[in-house]
Amino acid sequence: MFDGFGTGRFSTPDQVDIFYRIGGSGPPLLLLHGYPQNHAMWHLVAPGLAERFTVVCPDLRGYGDSAKPAGGPDHSGYSKRAMAADQVALMSHLGFHQFRVAGHDRGARVTHRMTLDHPDAVERAAVLDIVPTRTVFEAINQRMAMAYYHWFFLSQPHGLPERMIGADPDFYLLRKLQSWSRIPDAFTPMAVAEYRRCFREPDCIHATCEDYRAGAGIDLIHDAADFGRNRVQCPLLVLWGGRGIVGDAYDVLAVWRDYADDVQGRSIDCGHFLPEEAPAETLSALAEFF
């Protein structure tokens, strides 16, 4: 995976060690992964993008081979504000003070926060298979609670989800991949091996729960402070799986137009994991937009 890419590590201003891959040449493009994966989820898309862009694929704090710092009493160590700041600092360290960014799932939530907190850094942004966190929590109903049950499970107090997932992390990981995807055999054995290797670590299980605890708490406070006052200013591409829950439950573009000034996008014929279930279509859409 990632032939021709180099690897590196960067320590953020608050001493969080971030692992990343970098490859290609051209304008800088940051790719952020989601749960329960790591940067390996981009392996079918990143090489194609690297033909036109300098592609940076990091592991978010708490995931993959990046550090797993303490979340703190209010879980702000895993706020999307903190996670976005990590990535802006990484890109600045690499010499990229302005860049494009695409995020999937949790990485898309980091991307959304990044556009609000660092508007001068983000030239264009793409979010894959999400609507804003605030929208999900404010409009929750039985159907969405069943589909997004993991939001409420993972955000339970420390100990419960960690112990239950830790009893069989491979089962939990593979169940998430299978239940959220719609294309058979979409995940390559090499990528799944990487997901398993990283997700088996108790520190990773705990850190990713902290991500969801922040999502159900401090992130909502930040989002409420911004809503109606601080909007996404850069062009925003929204892509979602046509066979998944997001497009079925929401008018996705209409929702995002409540948060952003310049929105375009469409569905792709797959489930949740666009870069792995539909890599050619995802690559084409991202390359054209960026």
Side-chain angles (χ1 to χ4, degrees):
M1 295 188 294
F2 295 95
D3 288 345
F5 279 64
T7 62
R9 290 189 174 274
F10 166 70
S11 184
T12 69
D14 58 347
Q15 304 302 304
V16 176
D17 190 54
I18 300 296
F19 174 84
Y20 65 92
R21 293 186 185 271
I22 183 169
S25 61
L29 172 57
L30 176 66
L31 302 179
L32 301 178
H33 66 84
Y35 179 89
Q37 300 168 293
N38 52 53
H39 79 276
M41 64 157 288
W42 294 106
H43 74 286
L44 298 175
V45 172
L49 290 171
E51 295 176 4
R52 299 174 58 180
F53 303 95
T54 300
V55 176
V56 181
C57 296
D59 288 333
L60 296 169
R61 66 162 66 189
Y63 290 80
D65 289 315
S66 288
K68 284 82 178 171
D74 62 353
H75 316 294
S76 59
Y78 288 88
S79 68
K80 305 310 153 295
R81 174 160 288 162
M83 296 168 92
D86 290 345
Q87 303 306 323
V88 172
L90 167 63
M91 294 300 278
S92 180
H93 166 74
L94 294 171
F96 306 132
H97 303 291
Q98 292 183 313
F99 53 88
R100 299 150 173 83
V101 56
H104 173 259
D105 188 78
R106 307 308 285 180
R109 301 187 190 285
V110 175
T111 297
H112 183 202
R113 174 46 56 188
M114 188 183 296
T115 65
L116 301 177
D117 286 0
H118 306 275
D120 293 338
V122 181
E123 296 179 331
R124 284 178 168 254
V127 291
L128 277 58
D129 212 54
I130 71 161
V131 294
T133 304
R134 180 178 181 274
T135 295
V136 176
F137 276 116
E138 288 201 342
I140 200 72
N141 55 30
Q142 182 182 5
R143 180 187 180 200
M144 290 305 298
M146 293 292 288
Y148 279 31
Y149 82 91
H150 60 290
W151 282 35
F152 305 97
F153 169 58
L154 296 172
S155 60
Q156 292 300 305
H158 169 63
L160 176 66
E162 286 93 339
R163 186 179 181 91
M164 295 179 73
I165 295 170
D168 195 345
D170 281 5
F171 172 81
Y172 183 84
L173 169 70
L174 294 177
R175 184 61 176 266
K176 296 297 101 183
L177 298 180
Q178 292 163 2
S179 63
W180 294 344
S181 61
R182 298 293 182 269
I183 305 297
D185 303 317
F187 304 100
T188 67
M190 289 183 295
V192 172
E194 276 297 284
Y195 304 150
R196 281 175 158 168
R197 177 183 69 83
C198 295
F199 196 72
R200 285 170 178 168
E201 295 183 16
D203 285 350
C204 181
I205 295 172
H206 171 62
T208 55
C209 290
E210 287 290 282
D211 176 6
Y212 279 85
R213 290 173 183 132
I218 189 68
D219 288 342
L220 291 176
I221 294 172
H222 294 159
D223 291 347
D226 278 320
F227 187 69
R229 291 178 288 276
N230 186 13
R231 295 168 59 82
V232 179
Q233 301 296 318
C234 69
L236 181 70
L237 175 68
V238 182
L239 301 173
W240 64 94
R243 300 193 221 170
I245 187 67
V246 173
D248 198 39
Y250 301 99
D251 183 339
V252 183
L253 295 181
V255 169
W256 275 106
R257 286 177 179 132
D258 286 338
Y259 292 83
D261 292 338
D262 181 357
V263 180
Q264 60 181 280
R266 61 182 177 85
S267 67
I268 291 179
D269 186 25
C270 63
H272 177 59
F273 300 99
L274 282 69
E276 290 170 287
E277 295 185 69
E281 294 87 346
T282 304
L283 170 60
S284 177
L286 293 177
E288 179 181 357
F289 174 72
F290 287 125

